[in-house]
Structures are given as C-alpha cells and as structure tokens.
C-alpha cells in the first residue's frame, strides 16, 4: 500500500489476550513496549509478554510467537524494551 498511496505505512503489533498494542518505531522499525509490560525470550525463537497492570485477570508469559528481544533502547526512546518481529 505504501507505494500505491505514496506514503510510508507503519506496522502495528497487537496481541489481544495480553492487552498489548504497539506501533512501529519510525527510527528503529521495532515495536517498543510500554513499561507496564515485561517481555522474555522463550525457546524456539518465541517471546512472551506479561502485564504489570492487570490485577484481576493478568496475562502472564503470553507467547506472542516468533520474535526477538532487542537489547537497549533506540534514539527516540532510550529505555524502551523492544521487540523485532
């Protein structure tokens, strides 16, 4: 669509069961997680996300599928935990 519309199109990462929605960073092209989430690497190149805010029905180690955690933040958000997928 980007070429057809003549504009840049940004991706959105969504995992409803983990209450997660993240937009693609224009600087590093990864997805930055809000500090209310914790991500961890699982086996088979999968990543899991847990929520810190959902007390009644939390998402704990929700497998978001094949992804990679990127260490360190980017120029726009130096402390962000980032996911590449």
């Amino acid at each position: 669509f980007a070429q057809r519309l003549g504009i840049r199109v940004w991706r959105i990462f969504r995992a409803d069961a983990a209450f997660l929605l993240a937009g693609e960073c224009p600087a590093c092209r990864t997805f930055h997680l809000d500090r209310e989430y914790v991500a961890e690497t699982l086996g088979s190149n999968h990543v899991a996300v847990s929520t810190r805010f959902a007390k009644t029905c939390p998402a704990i180690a929700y497998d978001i599928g094949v992804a990679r955690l990127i260490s360190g933040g980017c120029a726009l958000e130096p402390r962000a935990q980032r996911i590449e997928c």
Side-chain angles (χ1 to χ4, degrees):
F1 289 111
Q3 289 178 345
R4 191 179 317 162
L5 296 173
I7 60 171
R8 191 167 199 166
V9 177
W10 302 105
R11 300 175 301 154
I12 294 176
F13 182 79
R14 179 175 154 181
D16 292 342
F19 317 109
L20 175 65
L21 180 66
E24 181 180 18
C25 175
C28 67
R29 308 294 307 254
T30 64
F31 299 99
H32 294 201
L33 292 180
D34 186 271
R35 66 179 170 260
E36 295 298 319
Y37 296 93
V38 178
E40 61 184 300
T41 301
L42 300 175
S44 304
N45 297 322
H46 283 221
V47 170
V49 175
S50 297
T51 60
R52 294 183 186 184
F53 59 86
K55 302 295 182 203
T56 304
C57 186
I60 300 171
Y62 178 78
D63 186 348
I64 61 171
V66 176
R68 184 170 68 104
L69 288 179
I70 308 294
S71 59
C74 80
L76 295 181
E77 201 172 6
R79 288 190 255 162
Q81 189 172 26
R82 300 180 300 148
I83 297 175
E84 179 181 71
C85 50

